[in-house]
Amino acid sequence: DQQVKQNSPSLSVQEGRISILNCDYTNSMFDYFLWYKKYPAEGPTFLISISSIKDKNEDGRFTVFLNKSAKHLSLHIVPSQPGDSAVYFCAASDAGNQFYFGTGTSLTVIP
Amino acid sequence: EAQVTQNPRYLITVTGKKLTVTCSQNMNHEYMSWYRQDPGLGLRQIYYSMNVEVTDKGDVPEGYKVSRKEKRNFPLILESPSPNQTSLYFCASSSPSPVGYEQYFGPGTRLTVT
């Protein structure tokens, strides 16, 4: 039973525009959320995280928004660049012990 | 260079032949974990370890064993591999940060069980 869901398997955006990747979760006990980026033949790399006491966290071009009442988080990339083309995974954790990942969204940024 | 290493990177084996995938990190991290990635299922946690001699089951532990005798190493053991364990495996490690646990992943081990 998937506790973290990414319902869009793929997304294409034009270079310079905003990319919005979405993630939903079911477990209200999750208190920490992360986004990872994965290139082919490499392991995932950490991108940005947010704890449940916040509703927004920014790091350069990347912003994560958390809506606890809707059990929804999103990753905004502005402006999108061709090098952002990768698979993005969201993940959630309860107290940093177990981690639950979504199925991933493949982002393609078109030059 | 701070890194998580896994060996081997690729492995083809036969059903029932015991194998071990090694994982090592040089960042003095307390937390280590194993995941498998399958199409349509994302990454699923197999086992994790909060510190030396402390291990616990993740979401999909059946058919796997782990040990944590040293802080830097966290091997994954398949005592009797079966074809449904054909997958891409990732090891990860982390330490608590002010925000939480940001895991560093190894490059992956692609395992095929025939």
Side-chain angles (χ1 to χ4, degrees):
Chain A
D1 191 25
Q2 199 83 19
Q3 298 195 51
V4 177
K5 298 178 183 177
Q6 294 176 259
N7 292 318
S8 298
S10 62
L11 175 69
S12 290
V13 299
Q14 290 287 336
E15 181 179 2
R17 307 291 289 268
I18 184 172
S19 296
I20 300 176
L21 295 92
N22 293 303
C23 181
D24 297 294
Y25 61 95
T26 58
N27 190 341
S28 57
M29 298 302 292
F30 289 150
D31 59 0
Y32 179 54
F33 305 88
L34 312 92
W35 284 94
Y36 285 85
K37 178 168 73 173
K38 186 182 180 304
Y39 294 118
E42 295 182 12
T45 54
F46 170 75
L47 199 55
I48 192 169
S49 64
I50 188 168
S51 72
S52 58
I53 62 172
K54 300 178 76 172
D55 54 18
K56 177 182 172 181
N57 189 27
E58 278 183 271
D59 185 1
R61 296 185 296 114
F62 302 93
T63 303
V64 56
F65 295 92
L66 175 62
N67 182 334
K68 290 185 288 292
S69 60
K71 295 192 180 70
H72 177 85
L73 67 155
S74 61
L75 175 69
H76 293 210
I77 306 173
V78 184
S80 300
Q81 300 173 354
D84 296 329
S85 297
V87 177
Y88 289 78
F89 290 98
C90 68
S93 174
D94 50 357
N97 294 332
Q98 277 192 259
F99 287 82
Y100 299 87
F101 282 74
T103 52
T105 296
S106 179
L107 173 66
T108 302
V109 180
I110 303 162
Chain B
E1 181 192 352
Q3 59 183 352
V4 178
T5 56
Q6 297 178 226
N7 282 293
R9 293 289 311 277
Y10 302 91
L11 180 59
I12 300 174
T13 190
V14 296
T15 299
K17 186 177 181 182
K18 181 179 178 179
L19 65 93
T20 299
V21 183
T22 65
C23 172
S24 184
Q25 51 95 4
N26 62 3
M27 295 168 280
N28 202 34
H29 285 166
E30 291 87 8
Y31 184 96
M32 297 187 74
S33 183
W34 276 102
Y35 297 86
R36 58 179 290 175
Q37 182 187 2
D38 301 290
L41 295 174
L43 287 135
R44 294 179 294 167
Q45 194 169 31
I46 303 171
Y47 268 95
Y48 63 95
S49 170
M50 300 297 288
N51 214 323
V52 176
E53 302 292 1
V54 181
T55 62
D56 216 336
K57 296 177 180 178
D59 223 13
V60 288
E62 295 78 19
Y64 305 94
K65 283 176 59 176
V66 292
S67 69
R68 188 88 183 275
K69 293 184 170 56
E70 305 165 283
K71 198 172 188 179
R72 63 181 292 127
N73 296 323
F74 191 45
L76 180 70
I77 303 154
L78 284 73
E79 296 266 0
S80 182
S82 62
N84 64 12
Q85 293 178 297
T86 292
S87 188
L88 179 57
Y89 291 86
F90 291 101
C91 180
S93 73
S94 71
S95 241
S97 76
V99 180
Y101 290 79
E102 300 146 14
Q103 293 183 69
Y104 295 82
F105 282 80
T109 295
R110 185 163 292 282
L111 172 65
T112 302
V113 184
T114 61

